[in-house]
């Protein structure tokens, strides 16, 4: 399940992607336009900035804008930034792998093999969903 923070991050990115190219959006405009609490949005935008998805400009005319193409930002990227692993267990995670302490052998674990299949299908779907596709562009 997506966390509320991830959902809000996606909504903020969608809002920014719907603006004219090179448009700088104020935090209050993003909050109102995407229906996100402003205080929560500020932290999300900072995380998106650290993740190199958005940048900001200071000052009276300042705000946030996309620095990564809406065609390249995937649901998988944002999920990993805010919620971590896509896999259901650490032993099947590609980026957050940890061995299971209760398995005799990962190679023979039927549960692990099933969860790898789920991870692969989920990852494939999430990598094919971009911010651009969510806004129909």
């Amino acid at each position: 399940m997506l966390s509320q923070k991830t959902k809000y991050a996606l909504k903020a990115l969608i809002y920014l992607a719907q603006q004219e190219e090179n448009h700088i959006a104020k935090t209050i405009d993003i909050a109102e336009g995407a229906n996100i609490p402003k205080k929560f949005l500020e932290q999300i935008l900072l995380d998106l900035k650290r993740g190199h998805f958005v940048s900001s400009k200071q000052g009276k005319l300042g705000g946030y804008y996309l620095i990564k193409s809406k065609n390249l930002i995937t649901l998988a990227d944002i999920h990993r930034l805010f919620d971590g692993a896509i896999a259901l267990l650490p032993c099947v995670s590609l980026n957050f792998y940890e061995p299971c302490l209760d398995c005799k052998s990962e190679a023979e674990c039927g549960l692990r093999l099933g969860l790898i299949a789920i991870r692969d299908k989920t990852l494939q779907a999430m990598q094919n969903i971009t911010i651009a596709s969510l806004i129909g562009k």
Side-chain angles (χ1 to χ4, degrees), residues 13 16 22-23 48-56 64-70 72-73:
L13 289 167
L16 290 172
N22 300 321
H23 176 77
L48 287 169
K49 187 174 178 179
R50 279 189 219 101
H52 306 287
F53 295 101
V54 303
S55 191
S56 63
Y64 286 87
Y65 56 95
L66 292 178
I67 57 171
K68 188 170 182 180
S69 169
K70 62 188 171 193
L72 299 177
I73 302 170

Side-chain angles (χ1 to χ4, degrees), residues 14-131:
I14 288 167
Y15 178 87
L16 290 172
Q18 291 174 323
Q19 306 310 303
E20 292 181 29
E21 198 166 327
N22 300 321
H23 176 77
I24 298 174
K26 297 186 179 307
T27 305
I28 188 68
D29 294 334
I30 300 169
E32 290 174 0
N35 198 27
I36 303 169
K38 186 177 179 284
K39 194 69 176 168
F40 201 18
L41 176 62
E42 290 169 354
Q43 181 58 51
I44 290 167
L45 289 169
L46 289 175
D47 290 339
L48 287 169
K49 187 174 178 179
R50 279 189 219 101
H52 306 287
F53 295 101
V54 303
S55 191
S56 63
K57 183 177 179 183
Q58 300 296 317
K60 185 178 179 182
L61 301 175
Y64 286 87
Y65 56 95
L66 292 178
I67 57 171
K68 188 170 182 180
S69 169
K70 62 188 171 193
N71 296 306
L72 299 177
I73 302 170
T74 69
L75 191 58
D77 296 329
I78 305 308
H79 185 280
R80 282 184 172 138
L81 179 65
F82 290 99
D83 290 339
I86 292 169
L88 296 174
L89 286 178
C91 69
V92 297
S93 179
L94 296 173
N95 294 336
F96 302 93
Y97 172 83
E98 290 180 26
C100 288
L101 301 175
D102 57 347
C103 283
K104 293 179 184 178
S105 167
E106 284 186 358
E108 297 174 17
C109 178
L111 177 61
R112 184 172 188 273
L113 295 175
L115 293 177
I116 287 172
I118 292 169
R119 177 209 63 205
D120 290 346
K121 295 284 187 190
T122 303
L123 180 59
Q124 180 184 19
M126 292 176 86
Q127 287 176 327
N128 288 331
I129 299 171
T130 64
I131 295 300

